[in-house]
């Protein structure tokens, strides 16, 4: 064995071990591995000052404020976290919460209010985030209630394109006990006081509401906090759930938890598609299979079933040689494409790419099913091709980075789009080559390991992967896969990162680069 071959073998062993450790972690942390959220943490500071870790949450908000007074990412992504953090800090300040530095709170609140006034007074281009049309008015209203008690502070404006009308409808519906759409539960905190103990809303068996700490806190309110003698009920399931999440994160909280099926589907898909050798526990395979019902599967308990999680879970099962009939996806069909959930306002190319994967891989494993799915596969491929940007990329409503949307579409089209998709896939690879940064990384705002991983997959997992330009670009990008935190890029009420999913993408791409190097050495 040559020195190069020995090095490649050692590298392969390292990848296998790292991937195996990651798969094991999915069993050890079944709720999921998700970054903390400024938005969600700000809601708990405001809604549950009695909850364990209150001081740590305030410190987290103070620590993560930028010098310009804002929180969050550029391009409009900072509006929601800045509103939430500012309102949370104002709540602590106006309540006079004990063991807090009032000067520090006042300074952070003033800086937040100043930047919000500037943003909300002018033209505002907000990203397509879940419930943003309700969250922004609800937080503007809460902030303006808080500043009434602060001398010298003026109210902040509501963005010109928004109103409080829809918010009033939601609150009236929640208060009346009418059935609340399941997807709305994830943002129940917008209902304000109407959410507390709202009739018709019940936590899941683990005590969560809408898979969201903020929604759970809003439902808890005074309900369930007080026992017969007026003391807080330490055994309330909703409070118990929040305490458990707080212990997991040391005070701050994530935007969504649990995300069990979502996390397992994406992690296994990234690794298996790239050919990483992993051993998946049979109980994990059984759990994924069991989670898929006639209406599909949600990302986790307390959320509605969605086509994205369902399709990626089905695709993972097929790659695991456990194909399962994807007929649950038909319920999400909307003409020639599919919705994330029925009645979705908006459309997602990555969701449709994942459905193309699910249908295509199932037919590959079960050829007799072709007559039922071939037409949909062809329509999906055409629909996705038609939404490619002139530069060769795609953008999407569930991720801030075009590299995520483009890897989703390019890989699905390359595998199942046929000859008519070749030009689109080639254009995606050329866009990826053109947009590599001088240091070898890829990224929307800065080079990141996650986005670099997606770029490498576009180059090395699609037709033409032997092109020397692709190999050289991927090799330059490889160094940027190692180390560092993953900045939040995934869309929810706040940007977040499912850390196990991002790590799986990085492991998969590192494996691809090393495999390509090994081929060159032969």
């Amino acid at each position: 064995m040559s020195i190069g071959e020995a090095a490649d073998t050692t590298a392969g062993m390292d990848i296998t071990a790292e991937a195996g450790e990651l798969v094991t972690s999915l069993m050890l942390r079944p709720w999921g591995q998700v970054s903390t959220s400024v938005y969600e943490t700000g809601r708990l500071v405001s809604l549950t000052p009695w909850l364990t870790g209150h001081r740590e949450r305030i410190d987290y908000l103070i620590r993560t404020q930028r010098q310009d007074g804002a929180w969050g990412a550029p391009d409009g992504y900072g509006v929601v976290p800045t509103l939430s953090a500012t309102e949370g800090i104002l709540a602590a300040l106006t309540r006079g919460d004990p063991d807090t530095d009032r000067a520090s709170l006042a300074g952070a609140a003033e800086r937040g209010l100043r930047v919000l006034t500037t943003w909300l007074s002018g033209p505002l281009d907000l990203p397509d985030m879940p419930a943003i049309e309700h969250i922004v008015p609800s937080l503007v209203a809460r902030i303006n209630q808080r500043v009434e008690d602060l001398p010298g502070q003026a109210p902040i404006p509501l963005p010109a394109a928004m109103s409080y009308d829809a918010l009033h409808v939601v609150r009236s519906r929640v208060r009346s006990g009418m059935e609340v759409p399941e997807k709305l539960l994830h943002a129940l905190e917008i209902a304000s006081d109407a959410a507390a103990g709202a009739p018709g809303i019940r936590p899941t068996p683990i005590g969560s509401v809408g898979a969201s700490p903020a929604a759970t806190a809003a439902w808890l309110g005074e309900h369930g906090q007080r026992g017969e003698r007026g003391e807080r009920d330490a055994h309330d399931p909703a409070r118990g759930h929040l305490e458990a999440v707080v212990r997991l994160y040391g005070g701050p909280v994530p935007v969504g938890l649990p995300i069990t099926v979502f996390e397992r589907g994406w992690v296994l898909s990234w690794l298996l598609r790239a050919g990483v050798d992993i051993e998946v526990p049979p109980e994990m395979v059984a759990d994924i299979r069991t989670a898929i019902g006639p209406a599909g599967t949600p990302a986790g308990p307390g959320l509605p079933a969605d086509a994205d999680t369902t399709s990626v879970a089905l695709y993972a099962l097929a790659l695991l040689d456990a194909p399962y009939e994807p007929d649950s996806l038909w319920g999400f069909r909307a003409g020639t494409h599919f919705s994330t959930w029925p009645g979705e306002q908006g459309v997602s190319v990555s969701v449709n790419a994942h459905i193309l994967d699910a249908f295509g891989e199932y037919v590959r494993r079960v050829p007799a099913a072709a007559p039922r799915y071939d037409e949909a596969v062809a329509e999906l491929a055409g629909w996705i091709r038609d939404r490619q940007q002139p530069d060769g990329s795609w953008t999407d409503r569930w991720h801030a980075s075009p590299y995520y949307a483009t890897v989703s579409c390019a890989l699905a089209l390359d595998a199942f789009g046929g000859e008519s998709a070749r030009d689109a896939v080639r254009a995606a690879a050329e866009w990826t080559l053109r947009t590599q940064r001088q240091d070898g990384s890829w990224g929307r705002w800065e080079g990141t390991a996650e986005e670099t991983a997606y770029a490498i997959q576009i180059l090395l997992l699609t037709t033409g992967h032997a092109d020397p330009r692709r190999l050289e670009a991927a090799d330059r990008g490889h160094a940027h896969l190692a180390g560092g935190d993953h900045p939040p890029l995934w869309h929810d009420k706040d940007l977040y990162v499912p850390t196990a999913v991002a790590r799986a993408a990085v492991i998969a791409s590192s494996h691809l680069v090393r495999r390509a190097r090994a081929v060159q050495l032969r």
Side-chain angles (χ1 to χ4, degrees):
M1 180 182 291
S2 70
I3 293 175
E5 288 172 332
D8 290 332
T9 300
T10 301
M13 292 172 60
D14 291 343
I15 288 290
T16 300
E18 188 176 0
E21 185 275 331
L22 177 59
V23 172
T24 299
S25 76
L26 305 184
M27 298 294 287
L28 297 176
R29 298 185 62 180
W31 283 3
Q33 300 165 51
V34 191
S35 62
T36 54
S37 161
V38 168
Y39 169 79
E40 209 83 1
T41 300
R43 296 304 79 230
L44 262 64
V45 168
S46 180
L47 297 169
T48 56
W50 47 266
L51 185 68
T52 302
H54 181 62
R55 177 59 188 268
E56 288 77 10
R57 284 186 286 281
I58 291 176
D59 290 345
Y60 170 81
L61 295 181
I62 298 294
R63 185 174 67 252
T64 54
Q65 188 176 30
R66 301 201 312 251
Q67 288 187 346
D68 65 358
W71 284 262
D75 299 339
Y77 284 98
V79 172
V80 165
T82 301
L83 282 166
S84 181
T86 301
E87 196 280 331
I89 289 170
L90 283 169
L93 182 65
T94 56
R95 284 191 308 246
D97 289 0
D99 300 322
T100 57
D101 182 343
R102 289 188 59 81
S104 178
L105 290 174
E110 184 176 354
R111 292 190 297 274
L113 288 169
R114 186 163 56 244
V115 72
L116 284 170
T117 298
T118 300
W119 284 349
L120 302 180
S121 298
L124 193 60
D125 186 15
L126 291 173
D128 184 10
M129 307 284 278
I132 193 169
E133 71 278 15
H134 301 309
I135 288 173
V136 170
S138 70
L139 289 175
V140 168
R142 290 183 72 94
I143 285 174
N144 288 338
Q145 288 174 348
R146 302 289 186 190
V147 299
E148 288 178 358
D149 299 325
L150 296 177
Q153 291 289 358
I156 61 174
L158 183 68
M162 292 187 170
S163 77
Y164 296 108
D165 295 345
L167 198 60
H168 294 325
V169 172
V170 169
R171 290 175 177 173
S172 175
R173 185 181 184 113
V174 170
R175 189 178 291 109
S176 71
M178 295 175 64
E179 183 180 356
V180 176
E182 200 169 12
K183 66 180 181 179
L184 182 61
L185 293 180
H186 186 56
L188 183 63
E189 66 275 9
I190 65 172
S192 191
D193 294 343
I201 296 176
R202 291 291 177 269
T204 65
I206 64 170
S208 66
V209 174
S212 160
T216 305
W219 182 86
L220 192 58
E222 290 298 315
H223 175 79
Q225 291 183 37
R226 307 279 179 187
E228 293 180 359
R229 299 180 180 179
E231 71 277 8
R232 292 192 177 96
D233 182 2
H235 302 292
D236 183 275
R239 180 181 178 183
H241 175 75
L242 287 181
E243 294 281 1
V245 174
V246 166
R247 286 196 300 273
L248 280 173
Y249 287 86
V253 292
V255 74
L257 209 71
I259 58 163
T260 309
V261 183
F262 166 84
E263 180 182 77
R264 292 177 177 183
W266 261 261
V267 167
L268 296 179
S269 293
W270 289 136
L271 297 176
L272 293 166
R273 188 168 211 160
V276 180
D277 185 19
I278 55 173
E279 184 175 342
V280 181
E283 56 268 40
M284 185 183 296
V285 180
D287 285 348
I288 295 173
R289 160 64 186 83
T290 303
I292 302 172
T297 183
L303 294 170
D306 70 86
D308 209 17
T309 306
T310 302
S311 57
V312 175
L314 287 163
Y315 179 64
L317 288 173
L319 294 180
L320 287 164
D321 290 324
Y324 181 63
E325 179 81 40
D327 55 354
S328 58
L329 290 172
W330 293 120
F332 301 97
R333 193 167 193 177
T336 57
H337 71 282
F338 289 71
S339 299
T340 308
W341 49 71
E344 176 186 21
Q345 294 178 348
V347 67
S348 165
V349 293
S350 71
V351 170
N352 283 273
H354 296 150
I355 293 171
L356 178 57
D357 281 334
F359 284 167
E361 193 64 34
Y362 182 75
V363 169
R364 179 183 287 172
R365 307 282 172 152
V366 187
R372 188 173 186 197
Y373 297 103
D374 277 353
E375 182 180 354
V377 165
E379 287 182 343
L380 276 170
W383 186 90
I384 294 167
R385 288 197 316 269
D386 290 346
R387 274 142 192 85
Q388 188 173 29
Q389 300 295 314
D391 63 4
S393 69
W394 282 268
T395 58
D396 193 58
R397 66 176 316 210
W398 295 119
H399 203 284
S401 173
Y403 295 98
Y404 173 81
T406 303
V407 74
S408 299
C409 295
L411 266 57
L413 287 176
D414 188 69
F416 308 111
E419 285 300 320
S420 59
R422 295 298 174 225
D423 288 345
V425 174
R426 191 179 303 112
E430 291 297 324
W431 169 79
T432 304
L433 289 171
R434 288 196 307 273
T435 56
Q436 186 172 27
R437 293 171 175 267
Q438 288 188 348
D439 65 1
S441 67
W442 282 269
R444 173 175 174 171
W445 294 305
E446 60 182 345
T448 70
E450 182 187 347
E451 291 167 282
T452 298
Y454 299 148
I456 288 173
Q457 290 183 38
I458 295 167
L459 298 177
L460 298 185
L461 274 179
T462 61
T463 302
H465 55 80
D467 182 335
R469 298 178 304 147
R470 297 200 197 185
L471 296 173
E472 190 272 337
D475 201 57
R476 288 180 59 215
H478 187 243
H480 298 277
L481 296 177
D485 295 330
H486 299 290
L489 294 167
W490 294 67
H491 282 195
D492 201 321
K493 293 179 283 184
D494 195 358
L495 285 181
Y496 76 105
V497 54
T499 52
V501 172
R503 186 179 166 200
V506 166
I507 293 171
S509 295
S510 185
H511 170 75
L512 290 171
V513 173
R514 293 174 182 182
R515 187 173 68 184
R517 287 174 177 171
V519 170
Q520 287 181 298
L521 288 171
R522 293 194 184 107

